[in-house]
Amino acid sequence: MSHESSSSTPLSPGKAQQLLGSVPNRPRRELKAVDHAMAIIIVAASLAAGLLALSGYGWISIAPAIIAFLSANHWFAARQRRINEPRYRGARTVPAIFATWLILPIWRSIVHHETAPWPEALLLGGLAPVLWLGYYLFLLIRR
């Protein structure tokens, strides 16, 4: 310690409170309208891809799957580039699981020609959208 700091007078409670009040608040993570729109696009496109694949239209379901996959990865990369975005330990696994659950019904439809009746198609085709919606809700709660 230097000689100056050891001989200085202690701060009064009023001065300490004033100094604490002058510290700016920590910036909050923001989810803007673009983030909400991207989440809706990703969920809708991935649900459409899953339902189309399980209805027997495997090749047609590739287009909404590509839209969902590219939108999800673009949005995720843009979020990670933001300044005050948290770096969750398992955050990179969410896009990987999303891509796997997105491709699985398409693969089974194209390769094995599998279809599913209506209620089961909604359940099996909805795994990827539910995962992405859950991740987005987690981000909404954690901000």
Side-chain angles (χ1 to χ4, degrees):
M1 284 181 89
S2 68
H3 180 63
E4 293 175 15
S5 63
S6 64
S7 66
S8 65
T9 60
L11 291 174
S12 68
K15 181 68 173 170
Q17 189 65 28
Q18 181 185 8
L19 285 173
L20 284 174
S22 68
V23 175
N25 291 336
R26 192 175 98 190
R28 289 183 48 90
R29 295 178 294 278
E30 295 180 2
L31 290 172
K32 301 175 182 174
V34 173
D35 296 318
H36 301 316
M38 287 295 283
I40 291 170
I41 290 169
I42 293 166
V43 168
S46 60
L47 183 61
L51 291 178
L52 281 171
L54 292 172
S55 298
Y57 302 104
W59 290 104
I60 296 173
S61 68
I62 292 174
I66 289 173
I67 291 169
F69 179 76
L70 293 178
S71 299
N73 284 313
H74 173 73
W75 180 81
F76 187 80
R79 290 288 299 169
Q80 292 297 312
R81 283 192 301 267
R82 292 184 187 173
I83 292 174
N84 199 28
E85 185 63 27
R87 306 292 189 253
Y88 299 119
R89 218 182 300 172
R92 289 307 289 164
T93 59
V94 172
I97 295 171
F98 174 75
T100 303
W101 284 355
L102 181 64
I103 293 171
L104 192 61
I106 299 169
W107 174 260
R108 294 184 70 84
S109 175
I110 292 173
V111 173
H112 302 292
H113 303 289
E114 290 183 358
T115 60
W118 168 243
E120 288 85 7
L122 186 61
L123 178 68
L124 298 172
L127 289 176
V130 166
L131 173 74
W132 197 262
L133 192 58
Y135 177 65
Y136 191 71
L137 291 175
F138 173 75
L139 289 178
L140 280 174
I141 292 169
R142 291 290 302 222
R143 67 181 184 136

